[in-house]
Amino acid sequence: MSWRPTYRSSKFRNVYGKVANREHCFDGIPITKNVHDNHFCAVNSKYLAIVTESAGGGSFIVIPVTQSGRIEPHHPKVCGHQGNVLDIKWNPFIDNIIASCSEDSSVRIWEIPEGGLRRNMTEAVLELYGHSRRVGLIEWHPTTSGILFSAGYDYKILIWNLEIGEPVKMIDCHSDVILCMSFNTDGSLLATSCKDKKLRVIEPRSGRVLQEANCKNHKVNRVVFLGNMKRLLTTGVSRWNTRQIALWDQEDLSMPIVEEEIDGLSGLLFPFYDPDTHMLYLAGKGDGNIRYYEVATEKPYLLYLMEFRSPAPQKGLGVMPKHGLDVAACEVFRFYKLVTLKGLIEPISMIVPRRSETYQEDIYPMTAGTEPSLTADEWLSGINRDPVLMSLKDGYSRPNQLVFKAPVKEKKSVVVNGIDLLENVPPRTENELLRMFFRQQEELRRLKDELTQKDVKIRQLELELNNLRNSSNSV
């Protein structure tokens, strides 16, 4: 039998990364110096949001994606949180709605005005309090409008129904801080990685753990569902402290299908998966490079393609949704790279080299669109539905009809030992403590003035009463 080298044809083997010209980058942004392991960046087809460095509270900046170049130092910010902002995510179905979570233990929903911010925004359309400690992660449900998941340092995941502005479920199966959350395509399963070194697959509506892996050899940091393949991919650290990735069967987490060592660097590996092209991108925090692979259902499962290299280290990466890509340039993925040292956001386009000018149907299959397939009540009642698909052939121009309506909430209170916990979030920094002190001083002054006025009014009424009594006695 003659020996023949195994050759596998792939339309993505020549994909290359192209950095945008300097005039198409976003410059002069004071990117946060927070060491929390998140991207601090969220992108959609209209806006780019970046968590910024700020004193006395947390803030993030929102810029229209078309408004590249140098950003003014006094550009308006979203600055309503009392603690550092730890995560931000755009609503996948409504372009101008963004959720944020913070060290002040709150989750807030913001509505960005058309065209971007004109002044600082301090009032959120919805403030959600339910966690007892800071909130480190938020995720929107992939197919349902109005369902948001938040994970806090109290080891709990809360499911929020934004139509009523209340938590409808608490998932309480973790024994340490939750590091990552990922949904499967229809949002019927949730995968989590946790500091307790366990990988879990959870049924979110019941909170039941369907599968659990105790990762002794592979310390899991990040997890991502691989579309409809019924597979999970995790990034982590091996017992020899090298960075590695592992592929798992979602229905059997007893052993990984395959483990692959990447390198000996220490930065966290962020995985990004594109279910349309079956491509996996690996970007290390503090690295300048992005590796990319093709994921197959048969051996060898992970096929290394190439590596995008850059000298500037990345703090985090935002990813443009599919309908915001440049189809004419055969762009299949776009990152927004945060370069902290330069205060720079750099778009990086992953491009399939093609000579033809026509629409490339083989690299742009039908993709998840911007219409939800379920309402919040339908999903909570137990219905699962795949995303509503759309074609990118004619460019994406259909306006979205969805509008976010914040529920009108009656003011509730949780009183413990005479203190309203929802009204009085404990201060976490010296600035917060000073702000709270001055606010309370102002409140005391106002109450004293009110009391003095009431004393005067009481004296006046007493005198009038005495006059009335005297006049009745004389008659």
Side-chain angles (χ1 to χ4, degrees):
M1 195 171 98
S2 63
W3 180 85
R4 287 165 60 195
T6 55
Y7 176 76
R8 186 180 173 278
S9 168
S10 167
K11 57 187 112 154
F12 301 111
R13 72 175 184 274
N14 294 318
V15 167
Y16 67 95
K18 183 183 178 184
V19 181
N21 298 332
R22 189 69 189 216
E23 62 265 23
H24 293 121
C25 295
F26 301 82
D27 202 358
I29 297 168
I31 300 164
T32 180
K33 294 181 175 67
N34 196 311
V35 294
H36 190 71
D37 285 331
N38 264 347
H39 294 297
F40 300 112
C41 178
V43 196
N44 66 15
S45 56
K46 275 191 181 177
Y47 302 108
L48 169 67
I50 302 109
V51 178
T52 54
E53 189 67 18
S54 63
S59 66
F60 59 94
I61 195 167
V62 175
I63 311 158
V65 285
T66 51
Q67 192 189 311
S68 53
R70 187 151 194 88
I71 305 302
E72 289 294 314
H74 302 296
H75 192 283
K77 292 184 176 74
V78 180
C79 47
H81 282 288
Q82 275 98 45
N84 289 327
V85 175
L86 298 179
D87 200 9
I88 47 175
K89 294 271 164 56
W90 289 104
N91 186 318
F93 309 113
I94 312 173
D95 282 339
N96 63 335
I97 296 293
I98 188 167
S100 63
C101 64
S102 162
E103 287 183 353
D104 65 10
S105 73
S106 75
V107 177
R108 301 188 189 203
I109 311 297
W110 310 86
E111 187 168 7
I112 306 301
E114 201 59 44
L117 298 175
R118 289 169 190 83
R119 61 183 70 85
N120 280 357
M121 183 181 274
T122 54
E123 291 293 315
V125 289
L126 208 52
E127 292 184 19
L128 308 169
Y129 290 96
H131 289 281
S132 58
R133 294 180 68 191
R134 59 182 170 161
V135 188
L137 279 174
I138 42 174
E139 286 290 343
W140 292 92
H141 192 272
T143 61
T144 309
S145 60
I147 292 283
L148 182 74
F149 284 61
S150 65
Y153 276 61
D154 51 6
Y155 314 156
K156 293 172 178 58
I157 296 174
L158 291 183
I159 305 175
W160 300 90
N161 181 352
L162 302 184
E163 290 173 11
I164 59 169
E166 296 287 338
V168 287
K169 176 76 192 166
M170 182 174 77
I171 299 171
D172 189 11
C173 59
H174 299 87
S175 57
D176 210 324
V177 177
I178 298 135
L179 301 173
C180 184
M181 296 189 286
S182 176
F183 288 100
N184 65 343
T185 309
D186 64 3
S188 60
L189 295 174
L190 174 72
T192 65
S193 61
C194 181
K195 249 186 176 173
D196 63 9
K197 298 180 182 173
K198 287 184 181 176
L199 171 67
R200 294 173 176 88
V201 175
I202 300 163
E203 204 291 307
R205 280 169 295 220
S206 65
R208 193 160 52 93
V209 179
L210 304 177
Q211 288 287 327
E212 189 174 277
N214 205 341
C215 311
K216 287 173 182 169
N217 299 340
H218 169 77
K219 185 185 164 192
V220 173
N221 285 322
R222 288 288 179 272
V223 58
V224 64
F225 264 104
L226 300 182
N228 284 327
M229 284 187 175
K230 296 203 168 183
R231 299 272 162 84
L232 291 166
L233 184 120
T234 59
T235 67
V237 182
S238 72
R239 57 166 67 173
W240 297 281
N241 261 1
T242 56
R243 296 196 294 190
Q244 64 175 187
I245 54 176
L247 190 67
W248 308 76
D249 181 346
Q250 74 179 39
E251 287 166 2
D252 178 16
L253 297 183
S254 56
M255 280 287 286
I257 298 167
V258 64
E259 284 179 333
E260 194 169 309
E261 304 239 336
I262 303 297
D263 57 31
L265 299 176
S266 59
L268 181 80
L269 271 179
F270 292 117
F272 302 90
Y273 180 67
D274 180 359
D276 300 339
T277 59
H278 303 298
M279 281 179 72
L280 170 75
Y281 301 86
L282 294 178
K285 187 178 177 181
D287 300 2
N289 56 353
I290 300 168
R291 297 173 176 85
Y292 38 105
Y293 299 74
E294 204 168 351
V295 182
T297 50
E298 295 162 4
K299 282 186 178 179
Y301 304 115
L302 293 167
L303 301 136
Y304 176 76
L305 294 171
M306 224 186 285
E307 187 174 353
F308 165 80
R309 291 177 180 272
S310 157
Q314 59 230 5
K315 183 178 181 68
L317 294 155
V319 173
M320 175 64 81
K322 254 322 189 340
H323 58 265
L325 299 179
D326 184 357
V327 175
C330 294
E331 184 183 32
V332 288
F333 215 74
R334 191 192 303 162
F335 293 102
Y336 284 77
K337 172 177 166 174
L338 275 62
V339 186
T340 315
L341 299 173
K342 298 179 185 174
L344 185 71
I345 313 297
E346 214 173 43
I348 301 166
S349 299
M350 309 309 290
I351 292 168
V352 179
R354 294 274 170 102
R355 286 205 181 106
S356 173
E357 297 291 313
T358 57
Y359 178 69
Q360 308 292 313
E361 212 144 327
D362 59 329
I363 61 172
Y364 294 116
M366 294 286 279
T367 188
T370 58
E371 275 183 64
S373 52
L374 291 166
T375 64
D377 291 337
E378 283 175 331
W379 183 77
L380 290 166
S381 70
I383 301 169
N384 293 321
R385 214 171 280 155
D386 281 332
V388 177
L389 300 179
M390 58 176 266
S391 168
L392 301 176
K393 186 167 187 176
D394 304 317
Y396 186 75
S397 57
R398 188 179 55 74
N400 200 316
Q401 304 301 316
L402 275 182
V403 177
F404 181 78
K405 286 181 185 170
V408 179
K409 293 176 76 175
E410 289 177 24
K411 191 176 182 319
K412 291 188 178 179
S413 59
V414 179
V415 179
V416 178
N417 296 339
I419 297 169
D420 186 349
L421 295 180
L422 296 185
E423 187 64 37
N424 298 289
V425 178
R428 283 174 169 75
T429 64
E430 197 176 328
N431 279 339
E432 272 183 57
L433 192 65
L434 281 169
R435 269 212 310 274
M436 189 175 276
F437 171 73
F438 288 127
R439 202 161 55 231
Q440 286 173 346
Q441 289 291 308
E442 191 60 42
E443 184 74 5
L444 280 170
R445 203 174 294 117
R446 190 182 62 76
L447 288 170
K448 279 179 183 172
D449 289 346
E450 224 172 276
L451 206 59
T452 309
Q453 287 169 3
K454 282 181 178 167
D455 281 346
V456 171
K457 187 77 176 166
I458 287 165
R459 282 199 205 98
Q460 286 173 348
L461 288 168
E462 281 175 346
L463 285 168
E464 281 176 28
L465 197 63
N466 281 339
N467 288 342
L468 280 167
R469 278 180 187 151
N470 289 336
S471 61
S472 64
N473 286 340
S474 63
V475 170

